[in-house]
Amino acid sequence: MNRYGFDMQALLAQRGATLRSSLAARLYTWDEIAEQDEEESIGMTEMIEPAAAPAATPPPGGEMAKAYSHAEVESRWYDWWEAQGYFRPERDPAKTAFTIIMPPPNVTGELHLGHALTTTIEDIMIRWKRMQGYSALFLPGFDHAGIAGQYVVEKELARSDLTRHDIGREQFLEHAWAWMRKYIPIISNQFRRLGASCDWSRARFTMDAGPARAVRTVFKHLYDKGLIYQGERIINWCPRCMTSLSDLEVESEETPGSLWTLRYPLADGSGSILVATTRPETMLGDTAVAVHPDDPRWQGMIGKQATLPLTGRTVPIIADAAIEQGFGTGAVKITPGHDPLDFEIGRRHGLPAINLMNTDSTLNANAGTYAGLKPSAARAAVLEALAAQGLLIKTEPHTHVVPHCERCNTILEPLISKQWFVRIQPLADPAIAAAQDGRVGFVPDRFSKVYMHWMSNIRDWNISRQLWWGHRIPVWTCANGHEFAGADEPETVTACPTCGTAEIRQDPDVLDTWFSSGLWPFTTLGWPDQTPDFDYFYPTQVMETGYDILFFWVARMLMQGLENTGQVPFSTVYLHGLVRDETGRKMSKSLGNTVNPLQAADRYGTDALRFNLATGSTPGNDMKFSESRLEGMQRFANKLWNATRFIVFESGSATRRVSAEASRTPALPPAERLTLADRWIISRQHALAGDVQRLMEDYNFGEAGRLIYDFMWGEFCDWYLECAKGPLNGSDAQATADTVAVLRWTLERGLRLLHPFMPFVTEELWQNLLGRPADADLPANAQSICVAAWPRPVDAPYDAAAEREFGLLMAIITAIRNARAEAIKDAPEGQKADLARKRIPAYLAAGESVALLQGQTAILARLAGLEPGGLEIAAALPAAGSAPGMTTLVVEDVAVALPLSALVDRDAVRNRLASEATQAGDEIARVEAMLANEAFMSKARPAVVAAQHTKLAAARDRLAALQARLASLD
RNA sequence: GGAGCCUUAGCUCAGUUGGUAGAGCGUUUGAUUUACAUUCAAAAUGUCACAGGUUCGAGCCCUGUAGGCUCCACCA
């Protein structure tokens, strides 16, 4: 515990009760939390009730409800997972570490969808690696957030009509720490609600004693090395935040304004020079007029003196190549005190700089009679005075770029100030090299170019902030003028190491919050101590964050990591895009279009939210957040739920329940007992595992998730499960048991593949599927899908014959369904319903596939709605199939005759067949041309050529069959 | 001023070694003694922004153009 009563682990240990008592049942929004506290003084922690319930609440046993309730299931598992220690990796030398350091959220506002996105992607990686047997560490933390942190506390104080100056620095810090004590547990619970499998026992706060010492250690190291220096520079000043800012914290906004042309008379009375400016009020601080050395218009003026209006001062007319001849009059007033370019020019020419402003941006005594005015008022007054003297020549509209404060949007003032800077080039060079030689890579790759460009044009970093909330700069000055940096606790620094005097004073400023963030990958693991965690988990593997903080954070972590640990802090940088609203606008409070991820989770389920975020986009690209997609994902969870319910409980087969409880590791029946459908779904499941593995290794989580969705819903539920109903409802006990085994095997593997994406529903279903004892608490050592082995991919195709043969079956079934639907559409109104319900016979001319299809009559009949006894399959078309009134279809080399034509137009049938024949003929011609092309034959890969041959054969079969049908029709 | 991204079905988006395009939502038609109506089946809708080029073959690679978005940058 620090002197402000802050103890991270004690705080977080209280979370369990909170989760159950309030957040699980109902998630509070930030405003609601604030509302509850309306009458309470800041710093109360009553939100956190003492833990009462046991850490693990077992799921209820018995039957599964008819519909999936995400609220009930999602409130159940997190505590148990955490209590089981699944998220707390051991430093096992036999395992490989996989570490992701969570980008620490600011403890200033409620979580937004960006947090949900980042957490989802990171948690997918962590859960995936954990299942693969890595020692997977997802290390959470919180950021004190510098300016933003100070701002929220100031706002809180303002509710009591207080400013920080009313209560003083020490009391203000008490308030700030109280805020952190209150909100850190709440935010941590919100991450739990998102299913983030973090190791909370390793959670860190940027202002913790450990990270704070690391910050001082790094500062002292850079200071002693001469890489941190104090200097008078022109910096960006925010008059509202009352602090300097780094260049990155400047938001440039195009603003409509004016360009004024002013006349400055020459001191010798020989004429005048015209200058153009967008900020006339700064002319009070001009110390020169500059023109381009080659500008013919002003050649004679260079070296002369101009009289500065309103002040009477004389200023030199100088030549500098930085001046653009084409803009304005080609002559520029030079104000080194209030313009970055002018500052540079002033330095080159040894011009004095006049500071016109107070820290609140009002003009100071140097502005003479204008002192005390705000810049806008001063501008009006100056223009009026100039106009009165006839020196205002022209006013024209002009749009220019105005710097704004990134945090509070106030217009920033460039002014000269003494600040601390990091000499950045020596840090940037190794970080550039690391990207060049591949020690660090970017996903998507294009960001490496953005990174390199920025790093190659980097400028010294202003790290001092005139704030109270943050890491205080560990530099002291003694009464005898000695300056020193110290890494020790500031309280213990009592004397000057040079002269021993106790009269020392610490620099009042604090560090840019990104200075401590830049150290995050190693300070979280205990650095500067050589801790076991640091040895084992550092360097980390992946840094996942938004591309908007590539420079702010990622670049600085790389520089600091290399400088302080000699290693890149992570080998891969995965950058996600922004989450925008449904119309593509950036989400912001002022637009009122924000979506609270926790409310979305409340409504649709965390799993649905995660799956939606994970599959909606590709790496590095912005995504639009769509509610209808979210609904779709909620339905997906319900679909999985019901599929599991069917397999485990439904359809009255005791065998299923018995076999379910028999084994916790589903096994397949012996190969000789597998049906075609069994072999097909097994092969497809293997293919899925391979594809998912490949895609995830490429960080292509969206595509991986989509494949799992398609497989589970389409192939597994809509095809295999429907086929399975045959044997399940049949009388052959062995066949029933075998089918159950295949169902369980396929579902179980599917759940495992899906678990990183949808952790809650997959755990629930996995436990149900694997025969969790009814109405009993889970034993403490029960297995969880969290730590179940990730399905190992096998070479695809696993069973090419099964995929081909079942594919034919599927094509035939689809064609029959299609024909029936079309017939129903064409049927007279009165007969539609009758035709739709009736099971009809079918006659198949199967050619080479005759044996295959004869073995699959049950599936054909079931899925195509055929009359089982009326299904005749032969090598040539059975006689009944040639009777009048038949509708004929052709699938590959199989012809299907259905008694539907009584109701439809024979000519229509003929036309359709003819049109299909034309299509087949076209395809044959196209492929034949390709195969006759010598260039193609010699250059295309053999597999591609073979595929074309197969395609040609199939097209020819189809054409022959179509022609036979046409002939028999007449 | 530099750089990057995007443009594919009505809407939102996938499409990764170049082999004539897919999903969800929406629309239309049909099914209700069903694991799931949060369901199932079927259908319709595409000059893959435009113009060139490379290639046997281009949504995918190259060049240019147009529109949209973003980042970087000291034209007052």
Side-chain angles (χ1 to χ4, degrees):
Chain A
M1 183 175 298
N2 72 6
R3 67 196 169 103
Y4 298 96
F6 183 88
D7 181 336
M8 188 71 156
Q9 287 313 316
L11 264 189
L12 294 182
Q14 297 170 317
R15 90 290 166 287
T18 316
L19 195 65
R20 277 184 298 277
S21 64
S22 58
L23 297 179
R26 169 84 181 77
L27 286 160
Y28 290 96
T29 68
W30 204 260
D31 288 342
E32 287 168 332
I33 292 167
E35 217 167 275
Q36 286 180 2
D37 294 345
E38 199 63 42
E39 275 131 55
E40 317 260 358
S41 65
I42 183 159
M44 50 79 72
T45 48
E46 282 79 355
M47 277 291 296
I48 317 298
E49 294 162 17
T57 305
E63 298 293 310
M64 295 169 71
K66 190 167 174 178
Y68 175 57
S69 163
H70 61 81
E72 192 232 337
V73 168
E74 290 179 1
S75 67
R76 181 182 296 147
W77 290 106
Y78 196 97
D79 273 5
W80 181 73
W81 287 331
E82 204 182 343
Q84 292 294 98
Y86 296 136
F87 305 160
R88 221 164 44 231
E90 305 286 336
R91 294 182 298 266
D92 181 348
K95 287 185 173 184
T96 308
F98 181 86
T99 314
I100 293 179
I101 308 288
M102 175 193 279
N106 291 350
V107 193
T108 51
E110 63 187 292
L111 296 192
H112 51 71
L113 276 175
H115 291 114
L117 175 62
T118 217
T119 304
T120 297
I121 297 168
E122 288 154 18
D123 199 48
I124 285 171
M125 286 189 265
I126 283 287
R127 286 181 183 269
W128 171 51
K129 290 291 180 181
R130 184 183 293 121
M131 290 173 77
Q132 285 187 301
Y134 288 79
S135 204
L137 172 62
F138 188 7
L139 198 158
F142 305 91
D143 199 310
H144 66 282
I147 297 176
Q150 175 155 328
Y151 189 47
V152 293
V153 179
E154 284 180 331
K155 242 174 78 182
E156 182 76 26
L157 283 176
R159 279 160 57 168
S160 317
D161 287 324
L162 290 171
T163 70
R164 65 182 158 119
H165 302 288
D166 295 329
I167 61 172
R169 185 164 189 154
E170 186 55 26
Q171 256 213 322
F172 180 82
L173 291 180
E174 298 267 5
H175 277 76
W177 278 101
W179 177 283
M180 303 300 146
R181 282 201 307 273
K182 173 175 169 185
Y183 285 110
I184 283 175
I186 292 172
I187 295 178
S188 82
N189 279 339
Q190 296 184 326
F191 278 103
R192 287 178 166 94
R193 184 68 179 80
L194 292 173
S197 58
C198 306
D199 182 353
W200 295 103
S201 74
R202 287 178 165 100
R204 291 295 182 121
F205 181 46
T206 47
M207 297 277 282
D208 264 355
R213 182 161 62 95
V215 165
R216 293 191 303 268
T217 305
V218 168
F219 189 99
K220 181 173 163 48
H221 164 73
L222 296 174
Y223 177 92
D224 291 345
K225 208 173 163 180
L227 294 182
I228 286 182
Y229 63 93
Q230 200 176 26
E232 292 256 357
R233 293 291 146 82
I234 191 151
I235 47 86
N236 312 291
W237 181 266
C238 176
R240 197 220 61 85
C241 301
M242 295 287 260
T243 180
S244 68
L245 299 170
S246 71
D247 296 337
L248 274 179
E249 288 161 296
V250 177
E251 207 64 71
S252 294
E253 282 178 34
E254 291 253 313
T255 312
S258 300
L259 183 67
W260 289 277
T261 303
L262 313 179
R263 181 188 301 281
Y264 287 5
L266 296 188
D268 60 10
S270 66
S272 62
I273 189 165
L274 300 179
V275 298
T277 181
T278 55
R279 299 196 61 191
E281 71 279 12
T282 64
M283 60 85 63
L284 300 167
D286 285 1
T287 55
V289 171
V291 299
H292 193 274
D294 302 332
D295 194 330
R297 288 170 293 178
W298 308 114
Q299 278 299 318
M301 303 253 182
I302 296 169
K304 292 192 173 183
Q305 301 280 320
T307 302
L308 191 61
L310 310 185
T311 69
R313 282 191 287 116
T314 56
V315 297
I317 298 171
I318 59 171
D320 194 290
I323 306 303
E324 293 282 330
Q325 298 186 45
F327 188 87
T329 61
V332 186
K333 58 190 266 321
I334 300 298
T335 322
H338 294 283
D339 183 277
L341 176 61
D342 292 3
F343 180 80
E344 286 304 316
I345 293 173
R347 289 229 302 202
R348 283 203 282 273
H349 296 270
L351 300 171
I354 298 173
N355 180 11
L356 294 170
M357 271 181 200
N358 300 309
T359 52
D360 64 355
S361 81
T362 56
L363 298 195
N364 63 19
N366 290 334
T369 55
Y370 301 96
L373 294 180
K374 281 273 176 193
S376 53
R379 174 174 302 176
V382 165
L383 284 171
E384 195 183 338
L386 288 171
Q389 297 181 26
L391 298 175
L392 175 57
I393 305 304
K394 197 161 56 165
T395 305
E396 49 197 326
H398 178 67
T399 301
H400 60 130
V401 175
V402 178
H404 286 72
C405 176
E406 181 209 28
R407 291 288 168 194
C408 69
N409 210 38
T410 305
I411 294 178
L412 297 177
E413 295 295 342
L415 50 85
I416 294 173
S417 170
K418 199 174 187 187
Q419 302 286 343
W420 291 96
F421 294 88
V422 174
R423 206 181 301 281
I424 207 79
Q425 202 63 50
L427 299 180
D429 289 338
I432 290 171
Q436 273 169 341
D437 65 23
R439 272 173 292 155
V440 63
F442 293 82
V443 178
D445 183 52
R446 62 187 147 88
F447 284 109
S448 64
K449 265 182 278 180
V450 182
Y451 167 83
M452 293 299 278
H453 180 257
W454 188 77
M455 291 293 278
S456 309
N457 297 284
I458 198 165
R459 285 156 43 183
D460 283 0
W461 174 18
N462 171 12
I463 51 169
S464 45
R465 298 289 177 274
Q466 288 65 53
L467 305 171
W468 289 349
W469 179 235
H471 298 281
R472 194 156 164 183
I473 290 178
V475 172
W476 285 260
T477 319
C478 86
N480 299 319
H482 302 123
E483 184 187 277
F484 60 95
D488 298 334
E489 277 280 327
E491 285 80 5
T492 68
V493 179
T494 53
C496 173
T498 308
C499 62
T501 175
E503 283 183 68
I504 58 169
R505 191 177 151 272
Q506 186 176 3
D507 192 294
D509 289 353
V510 301
L511 285 164
D512 181 0
T513 190
W514 296 104
F515 189 91
S516 52
S517 315
L519 316 177
W520 203 233
F522 44 99
T523 56
T524 46
L525 291 167
W527 190 92
D529 297 330
Q530 205 69 21
T531 62
D533 265 6
F534 180 78
D535 285 342
Y536 189 82
F537 292 109
Y538 190 86
T540 72
Q541 279 64 49
V542 180
M543 172 49 62
E544 193 283 343
T545 191
Y547 65 70
D548 51 330
I549 52 173
L550 174 60
F551 307 140
F552 277 111
W553 196 39
V554 177
R556 278 140 181 193
M557 285 190 288
L558 281 163
M559 291 189 278
Q560 294 278 30
L562 285 161
E563 172 67 20
N564 294 291
T565 71
Q567 289 176 288
V568 288
F570 32 75
S571 40
T572 298
V573 177
Y574 178 108
L575 295 166
H576 64 251
L578 267 48
V579 187
R580 298 172 176 277
D581 75 0
E582 234 147 337
T583 59
R585 295 176 307 173
K586 213 165 168 171
M587 287 193 181
S588 77
K589 269 195 174 156
S590 54
L591 282 173
N593 60 348
T594 56
V595 173
N596 181 330
L598 301 166
Q599 284 176 333
D602 252 4
R603 186 133 176 237
Y604 300 100
T606 295
D607 287 326
L609 174 65
R610 287 172 59 120
F611 205 71
N612 184 32
L613 291 170
T615 55
S617 66
T618 37
N621 290 332
D622 294 353
M623 67 178 294
K624 291 180 188 142
F625 187 80
S626 128
E627 192 121 342
S628 68
R629 258 181 65 85
L630 200 47
E631 280 174 23
M633 299 315 163
Q634 182 185 22
R635 289 203 294 271
F636 181 45
N638 185 62
K639 186 76 180 174
L640 295 167
W641 172 269
N642 275 293
T644 307
R645 183 163 73 98
F646 174 73
I647 292 168
V648 177
F649 294 109
E650 293 296 320
S651 294
S653 170
T655 322
R656 252 159 287 168
R657 197 63 214 273
V658 168
S659 77
E661 294 187 353
S663 159
R664 290 188 68 87
T665 44
L668 289 171
E672 65 271 15
R673 290 214 305 266
L674 294 175
T675 67
L676 175 61
D678 293 340
R679 288 166 50 215
W680 171 75
I681 199 68
I682 292 165
S683 185
R684 295 304 303 148
Q685 168 67 69
H686 280 303
L688 175 71
D691 289 341
V692 167
Q693 179 72 13
R694 177 176 51 78
L695 288 164
M696 290 185 69
E697 274 167 4
D698 282 348
Y699 299 93
N700 222 327
F701 307 115
E703 188 66 1
R706 196 185 61 77
L707 287 188
I708 302 169
Y709 176 100
D710 287 349
F711 174 83
M712 293 301 281
W713 198 315
E715 295 183 305
F716 183 60
C717 289
D718 290 345
W719 283 100
Y720 182 72
L721 212 146
E722 290 305 319
C723 292
K725 285 175 181 172
L728 287 183
N729 297 329
S731 54
D732 182 339
Q734 184 64 63
T736 302
D738 288 349
T739 299
V740 169
V742 176
L743 281 165
R744 295 182 69 241
W745 181 89
T746 311
L747 174 62
E748 195 271 343
R749 281 173 64 101
L751 291 174
R752 274 190 277 151
L753 291 173
L754 191 58
H755 178 254
F757 297 84
M758 305 180 94
F760 294 102
V761 70
T762 49
E763 176 77 281
E764 176 79 12
L765 297 180
W766 197 76
Q767 298 288 350
N768 271 292
L769 183 68
L770 296 193
R772 172 175 41 76
D775 303 317
D777 285 6
L778 273 172
N781 62 353
Q783 272 289 20
S784 161
I785 195 171
C786 289
V787 289
W790 182 253
R792 199 136 35 102
V794 297
D795 290 338
Y798 181 74
D799 190 338
E803 295 207 24
R804 191 178 60 246
E805 290 168 8
F806 198 80
L808 175 64
L809 210 55
M810 291 167 86
I812 293 170
I813 290 164
T814 302
I816 293 173
R817 285 167 172 173
N818 177 359
R820 293 197 64 180
E822 293 298 318
I824 291 164
K825 212 179 265 183
D826 293 342
E829 207 49 53
Q831 298 181 43
K832 277 187 181 184
D834 190 43
L835 185 58
R837 281 186 212 114
K838 198 167 75 181
R839 294 192 151 253
I840 57 170
Y843 311 96
L844 275 65
E848 288 176 6
S849 309
V850 63
L852 163 69
L853 295 178
Q854 279 171 342
Q856 302 299 329
T857 51
I859 286 175
L860 276 170
R862 167 175 285 275
L863 297 198
L866 302 176
E867 187 186 321
L871 189 52
E872 286 184 39
I873 302 171
L877 194 64
S882 304
M886 287 289 155
T887 291
T888 309
L889 320 164
V890 176
V891 181
E892 295 180 26
D893 64 337
V894 178
V896 182
L898 302 167
L900 296 170
S901 295
L903 298 163
V904 296
D905 186 350
R906 273 177 79 84
D907 288 337
V909 173
R910 185 178 292 106
N911 287 341
R912 186 174 51 74
L913 289 173
S915 144
E916 283 182 32
T918 308
Q919 275 179 24
D922 289 350
E923 178 157 351
I924 290 166
R926 190 178 59 79
V927 179
E928 276 178 344
M930 200 187 286
L931 292 172
N933 185 332
E934 269 183 45
F936 172 76
M937 295 304 285
S938 59
K939 290 178 183 173
R941 292 197 315 276
V944 173
V945 176
Q948 294 302 327
H949 274 296
T950 309
K951 200 181 260 182
L952 180 61
R956 281 177 175 153
D957 281 349
R958 192 163 70 247
L959 182 62
L962 284 165
Q963 282 165 343
R965 283 303 85 214
L966 276 167
S968 73
L969 207 58
D970 299 320

